[in-house]
Amino acid sequence: MSVRKVTYRTLVRWQALRPKTGTASRPHTAQLRETGHLVMGIALVAAGVVAGVLLGGWLGLGVGAAVVILGYYFLGLAFGGKHAWQEVFQEFFNM
C-alpha cells in the first residue's frame, strides 16, 4: 500500500478536473429573475402614475404613491439585489 503526499498542487489539479455541476444554470436563473423584477418595477411605476392621475385628488396621490413605491422596490431588487431595500431604508432613516 502506497501513501501519496498531498500537496497544494495536487489539490488544485483535482479541483480543476472535478465536473462543475449546476454552474451553468445559476447565472441564467439569476438573470431571468432580475429581468422579471425590472419589468415588474417599470410596470408598477407606470401604473401608479396613471392610477394617480385618473383618480385625482388626495386619493390619487395616496394610491399612486403606494403603487410607485412598490414599483421602486422591484426596481431596487433588479439593480441592487435582494438586500438593496434594507440599504435604502437605512439611508432614508439616517437623514
Side-chain angles (χ1 to χ4, degrees):
M1 175 182 245
S2 77
V3 177
R4 185 171 181 191
K5 182 179 176 186
V6 178
T7 62
Y8 176 75
R9 186 178 300 169
T10 57
L11 285 176
V12 170
R13 285 187 205 149
W14 181 77
Q15 291 289 338
L17 294 176
R18 249 182 30 181
K20 295 177 174 51
T21 58
T23 55
S25 65
R26 287 184 191 154
H28 182 66
T29 305
Q31 186 178 12
L32 284 177
R33 189 178 312 126
E34 289 174 0
T35 304
H37 288 143
L38 180 66
V39 170
M40 179 65 82
I42 291 171
L44 282 172
V45 169
V49 170
V50 169
V53 169
L54 289 178
L55 287 173
W58 288 107
L59 179 64
L61 181 67
V63 170
V67 175
V68 166
I69 288 174
L70 185 62
Y72 286 164
Y73 170 74
F74 282 104
L75 287 174
L77 285 176
F79 290 115
K82 67 180 184 177
H83 297 294
W85 65 273
Q86 292 174 340
E87 295 177 20
V88 169
F89 283 116
Q90 180 181 0
E91 290 300 322
F92 177 74
F93 289 114
N94 281 339
M95 290 172 47

